[in-house]
Amino acid sequence: MDIRKYEIWEEEEIWKIYYHTTHRINVRNYTERQLERWAPHDMDMRKWRERIGKSNPFVAVADGILVGFAELEPNGHIDYFYCHHEWQGKGVGTAIYRELEKEALRNGIRRLFAEVSMTAKEFFLKMGFVITEERSRIICDAPAKNFMMEKMLPLGYSDLE
Ligand SMILES: CC(C)(COP(=O)(O)OP(=O)(O)OC[C@H]1O[C@@H](n2cnc3c(N)ncnc32)[C@H](O)[C@@H]1OP(=O)(O)O)[C@@H](O)C(=O)NCCC(=O)NCCS
């Protein structure tokens, strides 16, 4: 599996991963209305391309297809982190996370943090994150729980090497 920065023609493939994983995997923990708000079926692709152009995500490529992506912001915030719905539990997330942590270490980032879905909580715990806060907001008339999670990185060292 290859982990690299995205190429400018890949925005729509990245959207497909985000859309299908949200609707097929996160549906375990959230309502259809909530999922439609986060990943609308009529998403404005111009806005999405703009977003991806700015966030410059890492992508995972296996057998020649995109199987996951993740965004790391300069302040250590991990925003979107999604694996293809047919490639769940096959090590794609771990491979992307390792690269993302290496990038953080290269850039002197000391703290990684994310607002993590119920669906991804166990994965982030496995990657060495701790929960700093549990939140529940009402979104589209139903509670939507998530977790503030963080991982401190000692400078120049990775426990994932
Ligand atoms: C979270 C996510 C990115 C993990 O990617 P993945 O490729 O499935 O993860 P991996 O296969 O690398 O799994 C790594 C470890 O985490 C564990 N893990 C992953 N998801 C898990 C789950 N839902 N429950 C329990 N353990 C889980 C795996 O069992 C594995 O443990 P092991 O090394 O002991 O076998 C993926 O499940 C996903 O796309 N989730 C939906 C989108 C989402 O919620 N994203 C986060 C938004 S904050």
Side-chain angles (χ1 to χ4, degrees):
M1 191 178 335
D2 187 25
I3 311 294
R4 57 164 171 77
K5 286 302 182 100
Y6 97 104
E7 306 275 359
I8 54 166
W9 61 84
E10 291 174 327
E11 293 92 343
E12 291 196 17
E13 273 315 296
I14 295 172
W15 170 258
K16 282 183 196 158
I17 292 174
Y18 175 65
Y19 180 82
H20 290 298
T21 297
T22 299
H23 287 274
R24 294 172 196 216
I25 303 299
N26 294 95
V27 71
R28 293 173 192 155
N29 304 102
Y30 301 96
T31 66
E32 288 289 357
R33 283 185 63 209
Q34 290 170 338
L35 301 172
E36 179 59 22
R37 173 145 156 192
W38 295 320
H41 68 279
D42 55 356
M43 178 68 185
D44 178 344
M45 289 313 292
R46 198 175 44 84
K47 282 196 187 143
W48 177 257
R49 271 193 290 276
E50 213 174 283
R51 178 208 169 94
I52 294 299
K54 284 194 188 129
S55 70
N56 189 21
F58 284 96
V59 294
V61 183
D63 301 341
I65 60 164
L66 284 193
V67 292
F69 75 100
E71 301 173 330
L72 173 64
E73 295 173 357
N75 64 356
H77 181 233
I78 298 172
D79 204 341
Y80 287 177
F81 196 132
Y82 286 77
C83 294
H84 193 294
H85 65 282
E86 288 172 349
W87 286 74
Q88 298 280 315
K90 295 181 192 292
V92 176
T94 304
I96 298 175
Y97 178 74
R98 281 173 192 267
E99 230 15 77
L100 199 144
E101 188 171 302
K102 279 192 209 155
E103 172 91 343
L105 289 166
R106 277 195 294 272
N107 294 334
I109 292 172
R110 300 295 306 272
R111 174 178 171 261
L112 290 173
F113 63 103
E115 298 96 42
V116 176
S117 65
M118 282 189 274
T119 327
K121 182 181 88 170
E122 294 302 324
F123 169 77
F124 277 87
L125 288 172
K126 281 265 161 94
M127 296 301 114
F129 283 66
V130 295
I131 296 171
T132 56
E133 195 185 332
E134 191 174 317
R135 293 176 173 173
S136 186
R137 288 187 297 151
I138 301 295
I139 298 180
C140 301
D141 300 327
K145 201 198 274 190
N146 70 8
F147 304 89
M148 291 300 298
M149 297 183 76
E150 68 175 23
K151 180 174 179 178
M152 302 307 294
L153 303 179
L155 265 186
Y157 165 81
S158 170
D159 58 8
L160 290 172
E161 288 295 346

